Amino acid sequence: MKKIIIASTLLVFLQLTLFNLAKAQLTTPPSGGNKKASVSERIGISDITIHYDRPGVKGREGKIWGQLIPVGYTDQGFGNTKAAPWRAGANENTTIEFSSDVQVEGQALPAGKYGFFIAYDPAECTLIFSKNSSSWGSFFYNPAEDALRVKVKPVAAEKSTEWLKYEFTNQTENSAVIDLQWEKLVIPFKIAVDLPTTQLASFRKELQTDRGFLWESWVQAAQWCVQNNTNLDQALLWADTATSANFGGDKSFQTWSTKAQVLDKLGRGTEAAAIMKKSLPYGNIFELHQYARQLLSQKKSKEAFEVFKMNFDMHPGEFMTNMGMARGYSALGNYKKALEFAQKAQPLAPDPPNKASVEKFIKTLQEGKDIN
């Protein structure tokens, strides 16, 4: 009986030991000498992140594509598939994650995390984005889980890449090309985002948080719409919120001038002009000066002079306002008065570059020429 108890105890101990060993996962380098890696890039406001393992060429030049990486699909002798694509890396699944909806080679793919596989072919590769991002490699690949397939042409590389890598290239405001580079081959595919849609969705979401209690947030959203000439009707509502007394924006030059810009974009110029006049008393010295300069660029010399004059009356002893008056008179063709104010501004110049600019303006006015 005693022997039975001892034997049973040893058996339980052995089972527990084996169980704990099975659970133990100490940190070691990836198998096969491969390297773990990740790369991420923001396109617009959308984040794209790739996690992968990097196999090395390791002296196998000329034996990677078509041999180590077979053409098409293959039976790997394990798992539940007889037609597995390449895992687009080594060891575990290569995964690619998108924080917003994207287009891959012009085809729509919803936001999410995907297993990434490639069916290699020297003429045309098939890229597979699988809804299964957690399986090991492609041993359990199931075409029923495909979210998207696209075809791209591989490109020969001039130089060999020893360790497989993914790199973002040809970036624009709303797109980038992702290059898979290994040995002397590149497999490129283009990712694009609908920037206006994703940006506006982000604004709507963020304006419902604590950021929506700041008039600056509503101005930022409306200004973006003006700059991109989109969503103007809602931009006007955002500008209205910014100018409300709730958050203190009713006495801000930025809020009212933003509303005026939206109205102008909507073709409501008379209303825009009235709103701008209302905003002027709220402007600081810099805001009024920049607005007057903007009017000059629009060839509205009389309106610009009125703003320069208003700014000068509020801040008569400042370099900026004296230079504003010089610009205003010059735009009206009154070079004599412009010269007087330029000469007043000269000793007020805050630094050598500004002083040099004033000296240049004085010379130009003395020659009877416009300084704008």
Side-chain angles (χ1 to χ4, degrees):
M1 184 66 179
K2 186 177 181 180
K3 291 182 178 179
I4 293 174
I5 294 174
I6 293 173
S8 298
T9 303
L10 288 172
L11 179 59
V12 171
F13 177 77
L14 180 61
Q15 288 175 334
L16 288 172
T17 301
L18 291 174
F19 176 72
N20 287 330
L21 284 173
K23 289 198 303 179
Q25 293 291 332
L26 299 179
T27 303
T28 59
S31 62
N34 301 314
K35 299 176 180 291
K36 280 193 173 298
S38 65
V39 61
S40 182
E41 189 90 6
R42 175 164 288 190
I43 302 175
I45 60 169
S46 303
D47 293 322
I48 293 88
T49 303
I50 305 171
H51 288 276
Y52 63 106
D53 279 34
R54 304 178 64 191
V57 176
K58 301 176 183 178
R60 296 173 292 186
E61 288 82 359
K63 298 178 182 179
I64 300 293
W65 303 104
Q67 296 185 44
L68 180 65
I69 308 303
V71 173
Y73 303 83
T74 185
D75 183 354
Q76 300 180 97
F78 178 75
N80 60 2
T81 179
K82 301 294 183 182
W86 175 44
R87 71 192 77 181
N91 298 335
E92 305 154 61
N93 246 8
T94 293
T95 63
I96 183 166
E97 187 169 6
F98 306 100
S99 66
S100 72
D101 297 350
V102 298
Q103 287 196 330
V104 183
E105 290 293 318
Q107 298 189 48
L109 184 64
K113 186 177 183 179
Y114 299 92
F116 183 54
F117 305 103
I118 297 177
Y120 165 72
D121 188 284
E124 190 175 55
C125 297
T126 301
L127 311 187
I128 303 168
F129 297 83
S130 172
K131 297 173 186 176
N132 184 346
S133 63
S134 59
S135 292
W136 181 275
S138 57
F139 296 113
F140 301 95
Y141 169 72
N142 183 350
E145 297 174 326
D146 290 357
L148 177 68
R149 285 189 176 199
V150 297
K151 293 184 179 295
V152 297
K153 296 185 181 298
V155 180
E158 294 181 3
K159 296 180 180 180
S160 182
T161 300
E162 173 64 25
W163 297 97
L164 181 148
K165 68 175 180 178
Y166 287 86
E167 185 174 323
F168 287 82
T169 62
N170 299 329
Q171 294 98 331
T172 70
E173 184 182 49
N174 64 346
S175 69
V177 173
I178 299 176
D179 287 344
L180 184 159
Q181 304 172 19
W182 195 25
E183 202 226 16
K184 290 188 177 181
L185 197 73
V186 178
I187 301 176
F189 56 102
K190 183 178 181 180
I191 304 294
V193 300
D194 184 342
L195 181 55
T197 297
T198 55
Q199 182 64 81
L200 291 171
S202 178
F203 283 151
R204 294 181 185 113
K205 183 178 180 179
E206 290 185 278
L207 289 171
Q208 294 178 32
T209 68
D210 58 340
R211 298 177 186 180
F213 292 98
L214 302 172
W215 63 258
E216 290 89 346
S217 299
W218 299 91
V219 165
Q220 183 181 1
Q223 277 285 353
W224 190 89
C225 294
V226 169
Q227 292 162 10
N228 292 273
N229 197 28
T230 188
N231 197 52
L232 294 175
D233 288 328
Q234 188 166 35
L236 183 57
L237 295 176
W238 289 342
D240 283 337
T241 302
T243 57
S244 71
N246 293 333
F247 310 130
D250 57 323
K251 295 198 169 35
S252 165
F253 176 83
Q254 289 183 51
T255 60
W256 290 108
S257 61
T258 296
K259 182 174 181 177
Q261 290 175 52
V262 177
L263 287 168
D264 192 57
K265 281 282 186 179
L266 287 168
R268 295 159 63 175
T270 301
E271 293 175 73
I275 291 292
M276 278 308 303
K277 285 186 178 180
K278 180 177 181 178
S279 74
L280 293 178
Y282 304 129
N284 61 38
I285 184 173
F286 303 102
E287 290 169 335
L288 294 179
H289 185 79
Q290 288 305 314
Y291 176 54
R293 292 285 301 272
Q294 179 184 330
L295 290 172
L296 282 182
S297 69
Q298 297 170 356
K299 307 301 182 184
K300 298 178 179 179
S301 301
K302 182 179 178 182
E303 293 89 339
F305 178 81
E306 290 174 356
V307 178
F308 280 133
K309 180 68 166 57
M310 180 181 186
N311 204 17
F312 176 79
D313 290 342
M314 291 191 293
H315 310 280
E318 299 290 338
F319 169 75
M320 183 174 291
T321 56
N322 277 276
M323 278 307 305
M325 291 298 289
R327 286 186 178 278
Y329 274 118
S330 179
L332 295 176
N334 191 338
Y335 302 135
K336 182 179 179 180
K337 290 293 291 184
L339 179 59
E340 289 179 18
F341 279 98
Q343 289 171 332
K344 289 179 182 179
Q346 188 176 23
L348 300 173
D351 51 49
N354 274 291
K355 187 174 183 180
S357 294
V358 178
E359 290 172 353
K360 181 179 178 181
F361 290 152
I362 289 174
K363 183 178 180 181
T364 300
L365 291 169
Q366 287 173 337
E367 294 173 353
K369 298 177 182 178
D370 185 16
I371 61 174
N372 297 298

